Amino acid sequence: MAHEREPWFHDEHGNLVVVQAPNLPILVWLGAVVLRTLVHGGAPERLADAVGLGALFTWAYLEVAQGSARIRRILGAVVLVAMVVGRVRG
C-alpha cells in the first residue's frame, strides 16, 4: 500500500516533494496579492491583478508540465481549472 502512494508525494529519488520553498512564480503571485490589498482601484490594482494572474498561471502550468510528483501535477491542474472557472464566472 505504501508503494502505491509513493509516486504521489515523492520524486523519482524518493525525496518528499509536497512541501518545498516557494519558487519565483509563487513569490511574484504573493507579492501581487499584497500589492493588490494596498492599492484600491485604477491602473495599479489592474496591473497587480494581471501580474498575479500571470504568475499563478505560470506556476500552475509548470506544475502540470513538470511537477515532480503526481500530487503537484494534480494541484497545478486544479488551480488552472479554478482560474478559468473564476474568469468565466467573472
Side-chain angles (χ1 to χ4, degrees), residues 38-60:
L38 298 175
V39 296
H40 301 285
E45 184 177 13
R46 288 191 304 271
L47 178 61
D49 189 43
V51 168
L53 185 66
L56 191 59
F57 176 86
T58 300
W59 173 83

Side-chain angles (χ1 to χ4, degrees), residues 14-64:
N15 300 317
L16 183 66
V17 293
V18 175
V19 180
Q20 297 175 327
N23 57 16
L24 184 59
I26 288 293
L27 292 174
V28 170
W29 173 73
L30 286 172
V33 168
V34 169
L35 182 61
R36 190 161 184 253
T37 62
L38 298 175
V39 296
H40 301 285
E45 184 177 13
R46 288 191 304 271
L47 178 61
D49 189 43
V51 168
L53 185 66
L56 191 59
F57 176 86
T58 300
W59 173 83
Y61 173 79
L62 289 173
E63 288 297 334
V64 169

Side-chain angles (χ1 to χ4, degrees), residues 5 12 23 25 44 47 54 70 82 87:
R5 284 187 241 160
E12 64 274 2
N23 57 16
L47 178 61
R70 285 183 197 160
R87 288 296 164 173

Side-chain angles (χ1 to χ4, degrees), residues 6-18 20 68-69:
E6 191 167 313
W8 285 89
F9 302 104
H10 296 83
D11 65 9
E12 64 274 2
H13 304 292
N15 300 317
L16 183 66
V17 293
V18 175
Q20 297 175 327
S68 52

